[in-house]
Amino acid sequence: MKVFATKVIPDNAKAFLSANNIVVDEWTNQTPITKNELTKIVTSGKYTGLFVLGAKIDAEIIHAIQRNIQVISLLSVGYDNIDLHAATMAGIPVSNTPDVLNDATAETAFLLMQNVARKAFYNYRRIMEDKWHNDSFITNLGVDLQGKTLGIFGLGKIGLVMGKLCRAAFNMEVIYHNRSRNPKADKTLNAQFVSFDELLHRSDVLSIHCALTPETTRVFNAAVFKKMKNSSILINTARGKVVDEPALIQALQKAEIWGAGLDVTDPEPMQPDNPLLQMATVAVLPHIGSATVNTRHRMAQLAAENMLLGLTGKRLKTIVNEEVYSIKK
Ligand code: GLV
């Protein structure tokens, strides 16, 4: 049996599948696979499974590949890049990689928070520009995090780790806004469930950890930034489209908020001339939330297990379209 991966995947996944007589072919080009290339390859009749890393899988692709592909295994926790309804209607089970990346992603949010608070990337750039001595005792200062209020938008498992890190390191108070309360956060973090407006008004650091859905798309917009503290820092390690990026640029330029740390942007990749990259109180990373050796290894293992289960007609371990099992192909 053969499966196709839209990027190179870790060796452990290939070894696991190889031991089960499944061969993985990969897209090895530096440039991301296009829709046409993907459709052509996957409809060649050689492949029965598809690993998806980042690529957008829309209804058109699903329709094209449905005769060949029995399972789609995503190497990400987010699944906003796939038309899940189309996959379900086509009878294709789809899995993601939850939990195994909680720590790495929360650590990235924490890293960005500290980075922005002390203008770390900006100060690094100053050294490179031979401007080490350019500041006086009272200019180019950062902000303290000790005892501040962390607001979490979308407190799930990743947000919970971010809350724990911030409490442990800086004794931060944790408030959050979700569709429903998170009893674990209430108990372990003594977190307070608040309205969206209260979250905006009270957060010193506001960290986004929600999924991208129609309801969360560009929820952080111009009107929202006006309600945040002028001294606040926005952190986004979820999805770029949760934030209206032009509105964020304006809010920073008008000093409506103090800073921003982004591991995700809209679009991705961010263009090198984006004004955010020049701002002293902004730190941007190229979507590396889960990019540690161990985390990627664990994501690959889980994705490979899902692939094997799917190809042998079994229920996927971490399925995201459960209803596929009640629909006949
Ligand atoms: C990364 O962004 C993921 O969804 O795993």
Side-chain angles (χ1 to χ4, degrees), residues 97-104 294-295 298-299 302:
T97 54
D99 300 335
V100 292
L101 45 62
N102 295 344
D103 289 343
N294 277 347
T295 299
R298 291 162 73 196
M299 289 167 75
L302 177 54

Side-chain angles (χ1 to χ4, degrees), residues 14 68 88 95 135 139 153 163 191 214-215 221 284 286 302 319 323:
K14 284 181 274 197
N68 306 97
T88 303
S95 57
D135 277 311
T139 56
F153 182 75
E215 293 76 43
N221 56 29
V284 184
L302 177 54
I319 185 139
E323 58 287 6

Side-chain angles (χ1 to χ4, degrees), residues 75-78 101 239 287 299:
L75 278 99
S76 59
V77 62
L101 45 62
R239 282 292 179 267
H287 203 147
M299 289 167 75

Side-chain angles (χ1 to χ4, degrees), residues 41-324:
I41 290 171
V42 180
T43 52
S44 63
K46 284 200 258 174
Y47 304 108
T48 47
L50 179 63
F51 282 118
V52 175
L53 301 93
K56 189 166 168 58
I57 308 293
D58 62 16
E60 216 178 340
I61 298 183
I62 299 275
H63 291 146
I65 68 176
Q66 66 181 0
R67 233 171 299 136
N68 306 97
I69 295 298
Q70 293 165 26
V71 53
I72 295 178
S73 174
L74 308 178
L75 278 99
S76 59
V77 62
Y79 46 88
D80 47 276
N81 55 327
I82 180 155
D83 190 324
L84 214 52
H85 177 72
T88 303
M89 296 321 288
I92 305 174
V94 180
S95 57
N96 68 342
T97 54
D99 300 335
V100 292
L101 45 62
N102 295 344
D103 289 343
T105 308
E107 283 167 24
T108 303
F110 189 82
L111 165 77
L112 285 167
M113 174 182 74
Q114 282 199 283
N115 190 321
V116 174
R118 302 303 295 271
K119 307 182 184 175
F121 282 177
Y122 169 70
N123 282 309
Y124 175 76
R125 288 202 299 275
R126 288 192 329 135
I127 300 170
M128 306 284 281
E129 291 161 10
D130 199 16
K131 292 179 183 160
W132 180 292
H133 283 302
N134 274 21
D135 277 311
S136 74
F137 194 68
I138 56 166
T139 56
N140 190 29
L141 304 181
V143 293
D144 291 303
L145 292 167
Q146 200 64 240
K148 294 283 172 69
T149 298
L150 170 72
I152 297 181
F153 182 75
L155 201 165
K157 290 175 184 159
I158 298 173
L160 191 70
V161 180
M162 174 64 170
K164 279 185 189 159
L165 293 174
C166 291
R167 275 199 83 84
F170 297 117
N171 195 25
M172 290 171 85
E173 180 187 6
V174 181
I175 61 176
Y176 69 100
H177 180 73
N178 274 14
R179 272 171 307 186
S180 50
R181 291 184 83 112
N182 183 324
K184 201 160 174 194
D186 296 352
K187 196 160 163 232
T188 58
L189 301 177
N190 201 15
Q192 193 190 347
F193 179 78
V194 296
S195 68
F196 187 45
D197 268 6
E198 190 170 349
L199 188 85
L200 301 174
H201 290 305
R202 284 180 55 195
S203 298
D204 295 307
V205 176
L206 203 163
S207 194
I208 301 173
H209 295 284
C210 63
L212 178 67
T213 64
E215 293 76 43
T216 62
T217 299
R218 298 199 181 84
V219 59
F220 284 84
N221 56 29
V224 158
F225 294 130
K226 285 191 175 49
K227 292 182 184 174
M228 290 173 65
K229 289 187 186 183
N230 299 142
S231 56
S232 66
I233 294 173
L234 181 77
I235 302 295
N236 189 8
T237 53
R239 282 292 179 267
K241 282 190 176 15
V242 177
V243 174
D244 179 339
E245 208 165 281
L248 172 66
I249 294 170
Q250 284 210 359
L252 287 159
Q253 284 167 342
K254 290 196 260 172
E256 287 172 351
I257 69 170
W258 192 77
L262 311 173
D263 184 46
V264 288
T265 61
D266 179 28
E268 286 181 17
M270 176 181 268
Q271 292 308 299
D273 63 354
N274 190 305
L276 289 168
L277 294 169
Q278 297 306 321
M279 295 184 189
T281 55
V282 172
V284 184
L285 291 171
H287 203 147
I288 58 151
S290 66
T292 69
V293 176
N294 277 347
T295 299
R296 288 282 162 90
H297 186 102
R298 291 162 73 196
M299 289 167 75
Q301 180 62 31
L302 177 54
E305 286 171 21
N306 277 314
M307 181 61 78
L308 177 63
L309 288 168
L311 293 180
T312 50
K314 301 198 183 84
R315 199 168 266 266
L316 309 192
K317 218 167 165 177
T318 50
I319 185 139
V320 291
N321 60 342
E322 186 73 49
E323 58 287 6
V324 74

